[in-house]
Amino acid sequence: MTAVSTAEQAQQELLEEFEMFDNWMDRYQYLIDLGKQLPAFPEEWKVDELKIQGCQSNVWMHYCREGETLHFDAVSDAAIVSGLIAVLMRIYNDRSPADIRATSPHFMRDLGLDKHLSPTRSNGLNAMLERIYRVAEAEMAA
């Protein structure tokens, strides 16, 4: 892996990792394992304005601008949702707003997440993606 990859490259690498698994039970376990590797999320960030609406489980997302890139931190109280956060962070974290906006989330379709996630988890994933895109758009305009 190159030191600096684009969001699209990160998405491709993720798809290749998931291809190693033959069935969805293994893929779910891998998602859960990815979620366990999320960095610590400060308790003081668990406030209403950072909470993602539309998720059945609790999800909080914080961001800050670091030079030309956006850094996101997020956490959930649900194992699979934490894994979905880890996937989003791999693709969109520490990228420029333009790179974020230019990268469509085809991993959802390519991995079959659209078919294998419950409707509430899909809504939550879409709500998290929406937040990332809205932040990138606002930062591009700033």
Side-chain angles (χ1 to χ4, degrees):
M1 190 168 104
T2 56
V4 177
S5 67
T6 65
E8 186 55 47
Q9 288 166 326
Q11 191 164 205
Q12 288 305 331
E13 288 166 10
L14 194 79
L15 291 169
E16 289 168 20
E17 284 174 31
F18 272 88
E19 283 174 10
M20 294 186 301
F21 303 105
D22 296 333
N23 62 61
W24 266 94
M25 288 315 294
D26 291 342
R27 286 180 172 193
Y28 281 130
Q29 187 57 54
Y30 187 60
L31 267 177
I32 291 167
D33 292 344
L34 287 174
K36 289 177 181 171
Q37 297 168 26
L38 286 172
F41 192 87
E43 281 300 313
E44 62 266 20
W45 288 351
K46 291 182 179 178
V47 294
D48 284 345
E49 56 266 22
L50 297 180
K51 195 168 183 179
I52 304 276
Q53 301 306 317
C55 293
Q56 185 176 15
S57 53
N58 290 312
V59 176
W60 292 271
M61 187 180 290
H62 175 270
Y63 87 95
C64 62
R65 186 163 194 137
E66 295 179 351
E68 295 300 308
T69 63
L70 298 177
H71 179 78
F72 292 91
D73 287 287
V75 69
S76 173
D77 57 4
I80 288 180
V81 177
S82 292
L84 295 173
I85 290 170
V87 165
L88 291 175
M89 295 299 114
R90 281 266 303 271
I91 296 169
Y92 296 105
N93 200 22
D94 298 323
R95 312 266 182 222
S96 71
D99 189 17
I100 292 169
R101 291 294 303 154
T103 306
S104 83
H106 62 79
F107 72 91
M108 292 165 45
R109 183 190 62 247
D110 295 350
L111 287 178
L113 286 174
D114 51 349
K115 294 182 184 72
H116 289 91
L117 288 180
S118 68
T120 53
R121 283 199 187 113
S122 285
N123 289 345
L125 179 58
N126 285 318
M128 289 185 282
L129 258 170
E130 246 176 69
R131 170 80 56 93
I132 290 169
Y133 282 138
R134 268 201 328 267
V135 164
E137 205 166 282
E139 288 294 324
M140 283 173 75

